[in-house]
Structures are given as structure tokens and as C-alpha cells.
Amino acid sequence: MQKHKDIFGQVGRLAVALLVCVAVMLAIYGLLGAFTQKVLLGAVLGFLLAMGNFVSLSITVSNALDRAARDNDPQRAQLSIQSSSVIRLLVLAVIYIVLFRAKVCDPVAALLPLLLAQVALKLVEFFRKDDKGGDAAV
């Protein structure tokens, strides 16, 4: 159960950080006078896709690590994580292509949250409290 608590905690922290990044992105669109409904929809869809991608990654890595510990087969875990990353990338590409071809949303506003998720992860890790205790090595 601790595993799920850790995953949900990380997902929650990422969601908050990514929401802040997306809000800044939308504010910049507003300042530039380019804010439209398509931009807002793109930002929302991009946020959802970025979060879905992260949740999928977290579950895949967690399950692969559990299997590696259970079966003592780290190569299989690595292969599982690599194949999952290829599948996630293909699924995201197909979703984005469909969204862009249908002209449902602004393409840049939809892609930026996926890129901003990386920035948000760095921010989350930077401000994360160290749970290990003890002094940091100098």
C-alpha cells in the first residue's frame, strides 16, 4: 500500500506544479493577446495528456521494479520500461495528430504542458523534502 501512496503523492505534487506552469503559460498567452478558447482547450488537454503519461510511467516503473525484485530479473524490468516508453510515445503521437488534424485546439498550447511537465518534475524534486534523514554529504 505504501507504493501506491508514494505514487499518488508524486502525482499530486506534479499536478500542482504543472497547474502552476500551465497557468503561467495561459497568462503569457493573455498578455500577448493570443488567448482563445482553443488555447484554453489545448492547455487543458495537454495537462490531461501530460498527467496521464506520468501516471502510466509511474505505474509501469513501479510494477517493473516489483517484478524485478520478485523474479530477480532486472533485464526484463528494463525491457518492460523501455517498451512502455515506446508505446506511450506512440499513443501520445496518435492522440496529438488526431487533435491537430481535427483542429480541436491550439497545437502549441496542447504540446507545451507535456514539455512543462519536465520543468514541473524538476521543480518538485528541487523543493522535495529529503525523507532519508541525516546530514547531506559535503
Side-chain angles (χ1 to χ4, degrees):
M1 189 64 182
Q2 179 65 28
K3 171 179 77 167
H4 298 300
K5 185 177 178 185
D6 292 341
I7 290 173
F8 290 138
Q10 187 71 5
V11 167
R13 288 187 292 274
L14 176 63
V16 170
L18 186 55
L19 277 173
V20 170
C21 291
V22 169
V24 169
M25 177 190 80
L26 291 174
I28 292 170
Y29 266 98
L31 289 173
L32 295 174
F35 186 82
T36 63
Q37 282 185 326
K38 284 192 172 192
V39 167
L40 180 61
L41 184 59
V44 169
L45 291 173
F47 173 82
L48 293 174
L49 288 170
M51 289 305 302
N53 185 47
F54 182 75
V55 168
S56 175
L57 171 67
S58 298
I59 291 170
T60 299
V61 169
S62 178
N63 289 340
L65 291 175
D66 287 347
R67 277 193 303 269
R70 183 186 66 227
D71 300 340
N72 199 18
D73 189 5
Q75 288 81 16
R76 185 171 177 217
Q78 183 180 7
L79 182 62
S80 172
I81 293 169
Q82 289 173 338
S83 63
S84 168
S85 68
V86 170
I87 292 169
R88 281 184 296 106
L89 179 63
L90 290 174
V91 168
L92 280 173
V94 167
I95 291 170
Y96 276 118
I97 288 169
V98 168
L99 287 174
F100 300 159
R101 298 286 279 165
K103 298 183 185 205
V104 172
C105 60
D106 181 74
V108 175
L111 283 172
L112 278 176
L114 194 59
L115 300 174
L116 290 172
Q118 299 303 315
V119 173
L121 279 172
K122 300 290 184 210
L123 288 172
V124 166
E125 286 303 310
F126 181 76
F127 290 108
R128 181 177 62 100
K129 294 179 184 170
D130 192 13
D131 296 335
K132 296 176 183 167
D135 294 331
V138 177

